[in-house]
Amino acid sequence: MEKLTKRSVQVDRSPLTLSEKAYIPSILKGLSITVGHVFKKKATVSYPEEKRPFSPVFRGLHILNRDEQGRENCTACGLCALACPAEAITMEAAERKPGEEHLYREEKYAAKYEINMLRCIFCGYCEEACPKDAIYMSETVMPANYTRKGFIYKKEDLLIPKK
Ligand code: SF4
Ligand code: SF4
């Protein structure tokens, strides 16, 4: 007889009973596994109706913040763009004109501010680099889009609405 190794399995070759021939024990075993899973806690959720709670350190879509008077906080200093490892942020600075004090907090503001979400790796460095508390990352998951252009978020998309 061939010597059994550790990886060998001895197969029971005794003749099958009538119930084994009709697969009854196998069917009952399969059903017991299925029924057992019915009463187990579900590992899945019905997204998007049901959402899992986010981790406290989750970083979602960016938001450009306003101060208590509703003025734009961003002064277009460029520190967020400098800190961004993905080079996802671009902006154009402009001077605040007389009479625009109710719109912009300081003399300089971002006339144009864009984030390319296809480049962004959601590292949060922009948020950390900002000295004006002007940009922060929300708990909103970035929605899907049909075009590459749709992933370029402009200032109007990022700016928090006025209260
Ligand atoms: S989260 Fe990171 S990669 Fe995305 S814009 Fe900010 S610094 Fe750049
Ligand atoms: S978001 Fe902050 S760091 Fe970026 S340009 Fe505006 S003020 Fe500067």
Side-chain angles (χ1 to χ4, degrees), residues 76-109:
C77 67
L79 284 176
C80 52
L82 208 63
C84 178
E87 298 184 358
I89 304 177
T90 49
M91 75 193 68
E92 272 173 28
E95 294 275 339
R96 186 179 70 185
K97 294 185 188 71
E100 289 184 337
E101 291 79 8
H102 65 292
L103 296 175
Y104 312 111
R105 196 173 80 174
E106 301 198 17
E107 290 87 37
K108 251 176 76 186
Y109 70 94

Side-chain angles (χ1 to χ4, degrees), residues 24-144:
I24 290 169
S26 306
I27 290 169
L28 290 177
K29 195 175 165 193
L31 279 176
S32 71
I33 292 170
T34 306
V35 172
H37 278 282
V38 168
F39 298 105
K40 273 191 186 165
K41 194 171 174 265
K42 273 195 297 175
T44 53
V45 293
S46 306
Y47 186 85
E49 290 81 19
E50 200 184 326
K51 287 181 183 133
R52 286 190 195 282
F54 284 112
S55 152
V57 293
F58 175 80
R59 291 188 286 259
L61 271 182
H62 309 66
I63 287 182
L64 285 177
N65 212 357
R66 295 178 188 272
D67 68 3
E68 315 76 51
Q69 296 166 40
R71 299 176 301 182
E72 291 179 23
N73 270 358
C74 180
T75 57
C77 67
L79 284 176
C80 52
L82 208 63
C84 178
E87 298 184 358
I89 304 177
T90 49
M91 75 193 68
E92 272 173 28
E95 294 275 339
R96 186 179 70 185
K97 294 185 188 71
E100 289 184 337
E101 291 79 8
H102 65 292
L103 296 175
Y104 312 111
R105 196 173 80 174
E106 301 198 17
E107 290 87 37
K108 251 176 76 186
Y109 70 94
K112 187 180 154 195
Y113 191 101
E114 278 182 11
I115 303 182
N116 183 343
M117 295 299 177
L118 289 175
R119 280 175 166 255
C120 178
I121 53 171
F122 295 88
C123 63
Y125 285 1
C126 49
E127 188 184 41
E128 280 177 38
C130 182
K132 301 289 177 187
D133 188 28
I135 187 165
Y136 68 92
M137 302 184 77
S138 66
E139 283 195 347
T140 307
V141 179
M142 186 177 64

